[in-house]
DNA sequence: CATATCAAACAGATTTCGTGTTCGATAACT
DNA sequence: AGTTATCGAACACGAAATCTGTTTGATATG
């Protein structure tokens, strides 16, 4: 963990750039009360993380409408809720199971929650893989594939082939949108194909999602809600949505 | 990079434990001129890296005869030579090639040397994969498999399947032993199988190795020297060995 | 039960890291 | 081409984190 002050400033910068669309270095310096040099150094870091785009004199948001915010941003968002969801999800897994864990920030927390268990785990992102290496009791299995920049989600034919060769007890799937009408949806088409493959190779499918996903529908359709066995979500999930899911035969767990 | 003093002390401890076989905390404290508490904290760290085994009152070496030293130890060993070998190897690769890069510390440096090139690269260890993520021009391809603890070399049927599905221009292979008589050998049997698979899926095979490997022969036979197209090694490689390789039709490059 | 070893907690010292300033270099604009 | 603003590197100061040693109570060993 680095200095708090700089982390705050980074968030301030990304938020401001997001809202305004673009801001000059001097404006950001005034806004944060720090020097322009510090802003430049910050922008360099943030641009490297894919959070914004740098240009001479300032920075602009590279967030288009309907696009997914970058991984580095979502990672620290709603962390407590994600941790609670992850812990509750881990409770649904029995020792000795073989589990495939999807990409995304919520699933990364699930992977962390599983790291001390006696399990066979195949993570679908390099972030989760790195979080699991060195776990003593855990048998780690990596799929092949192409890691997408930032997200480090593994996709492509190699990933699909790896999944097709295996049968898991449980698949833990993240999503970008989930509701009874549109089903489970994802922003990235390649990701969607992998999610489908993971679900197909598991006996039981658990979706993990924070409440915000219920009011969203992303581009790529993955599966209808009825394909899920359980959904683990936050306590602030809207009642009508969870009831609609229950009606579709899904076990909903709120934490 | 952390404080120099502690790094020196860590090396001092591992070396002493290696030589003596086992040493008490008090002996190590006297040897290094630091307090016992510091030694205990060091031993905890070193044991976590797999460099030695902890027991009440001291620590012992877990290095058996003929076994490979742990990754964390080899990583900083002869780094300059490895970098030179890696740079020379990178010079043999043309832009646009598809390259598979083996596991091991020397190949990790090769991966780093390739990270700014316009290439398709499949690393066979998670260490190299992590070194390559985020490289802008590089197309990164990951094989599936089980990462071996410490080494993080990917092995097993998934890795073999990933390799079997692809055809590379060049395979860059590390080794534990290499000479004209015994061919290319490895300590780990699973690794050996992967090296063979990587070689089989590439048109051209380049072996990278420091001079010490020429006088060693490891347990698992991978391939005869004649299966290699080139060998890149240090300038201190023994003449008789390099001549024998040349006689077998291998292009030897000393740097 | 006695003794040695250990781990946690605290405090001081050391180092690293973040920040601001200055200055020469570089890029954009007229 | 000239002018102006922006940038990046270098240096210095201050703050924060890290490392180390001591103490003390807990734990394991014989």
């Amino acid at each position: 963990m680095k200095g708090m002050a700089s982390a705050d400033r980074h968030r301030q910068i990304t938020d401001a750039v997001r809202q305004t669309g673009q801001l000059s270095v001097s404006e950001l310096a005034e806004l944060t009360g720090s020097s322009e040099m510090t802003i430049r150094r910050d922008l360099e870091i943030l641009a490297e993380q894919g959070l914004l785009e740098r240009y001479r004199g300032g920075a602009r948001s590279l967030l288009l409408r309907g696009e997914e915010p970058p991984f580095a941003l979502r990672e620290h968002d709603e962390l407590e809720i994600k941790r609670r969801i992850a812990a509750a999800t881990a409770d649904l897994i029995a020792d000795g199971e073989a589990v495939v864990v999807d990409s995304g920030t919520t699933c990364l927390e699930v992977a962390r929650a599983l790291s001390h268990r006696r399990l066979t785990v195949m993570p679908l992102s390099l972030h989760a893989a790195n979080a699991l290496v060195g776990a003593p009791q855990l048998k780690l299995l990596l799929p092949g594939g192409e890691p997408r920049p930032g997200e480090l989600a593994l996709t492509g034919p190699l990933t699909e082939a790896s999944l097709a060769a295996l049968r898991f007890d449980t698949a833990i799937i993240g999503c970008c949108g989930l509701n009874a009408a549109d089903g489970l949806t994802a922003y990235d088409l390649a990701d969607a194909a992998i999610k489908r493959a993971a679900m197909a190779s598991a006996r039981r499918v658990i979706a993990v999602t924070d409440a915000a996903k219920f009011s969203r529908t992303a581009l790529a359709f993955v599966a209808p809600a009825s394909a899920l066995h359980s959904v683990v979500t936050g306590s602030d999930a809207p009642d009508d949505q969870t009831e609609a899911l229950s009606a579709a035969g899904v076990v909903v767990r709120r934490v």
Side-chain angles (χ1 to χ4, degrees), chain A:
Chain A
M1 198 74 69
K2 69 182 79 170
M4 275 251 307
S6 68
D8 280 354
R9 197 178 53 247
H10 286 183
R11 176 162 291 270
Q12 210 176 347
I13 291 172
T14 47
D15 286 352
V17 170
R18 173 89 46 90
Q19 281 196 318
T20 322
Q22 91 180 43
L23 278 170
S24 71
V25 171
S26 53
E27 284 171 321
L28 285 167
E30 193 182 2
L31 173 70
T32 61
S34 51
S35 77
E36 300 199 351
M37 192 61 228
T38 300
I39 297 295
R40 288 197 191 93
R41 279 189 277 243
D42 288 341
L43 292 182
E44 191 178 3
I45 295 168
L46 296 172
E48 206 165 336
Q49 295 184 352
L51 294 177
L52 45 79
E53 190 181 27
R54 191 71 212 286
Y55 66 88
R56 192 177 182 83
R60 73 172 63 89
S61 166
L62 38 67
L63 215 66
L64 301 166
R65 211 187 87 73
E67 245 188 21
E68 185 171 30
F71 186 90
L73 200 67
R74 294 176 291 140
E75 190 176 4
H76 303 289
D77 238 41
E78 312 254 38
L79 196 53
E80 294 79 20
I81 295 180
K82 285 173 186 167
R83 290 246 169 86
R84 279 210 309 277
I85 293 175
T89 308
D91 283 343
L92 299 176
I93 308 291
D95 271 5
E97 276 195 47
V99 185
V100 54
V101 180
D102 196 12
S103 58
T105 57
T106 309
C107 286
L108 173 56
E109 291 306 320
V110 175
R112 293 208 174 104
L114 295 176
S115 62
H116 293 295
R117 300 279 300 276
R118 222 192 102 261
L119 297 167
T120 300
V121 177
M122 173 176 275
L124 296 180
S125 92
L126 273 184
H127 285 304
N130 286 322
L132 293 174
V133 290
Q137 306 194 64
L138 194 112
K139 176 159 180 180
L140 181 56
L141 219 55
L142 221 70
E146 306 167 40
R148 187 146 53 86
E151 205 78 9
L152 300 193
L154 294 162
T155 56
L158 284 177
T159 318
E160 296 196 43
S162 295
L163 287 168
L166 301 166
R167 294 293 176 270
F168 296 94
D169 296 302
T170 305
I172 296 163
I173 306 290
C175 61
C176 307
L178 173 62
N179 54 66
D182 294 318
L184 196 147
T185 51
Y187 284 112
D188 191 272
L189 279 113
D191 263 4
I194 297 308
K195 285 179 202 297
R196 237 186 332 262
M199 290 170 69
S201 63
R203 271 187 317 141
R204 178 174 66 151
V205 179
I206 303 176
V208 293
T209 174
D210 58 276
K213 308 287 177 62
F214 286 113
S215 53
R216 228 175 274 157
T217 296
L219 173 67
F221 173 77
V222 175
S226 60
L228 306 174
H229 300 94
S230 304
V231 170
V232 182
T233 187
S235 51
D236 51 343
D239 288 334
D240 54 341
Q241 289 291 340
T242 58
E243 279 163 22
L245 285 175
S246 294
V250 183
V251 179
V252 179
R253 171 110 216 258
R254 293 204 234 183
V255 293

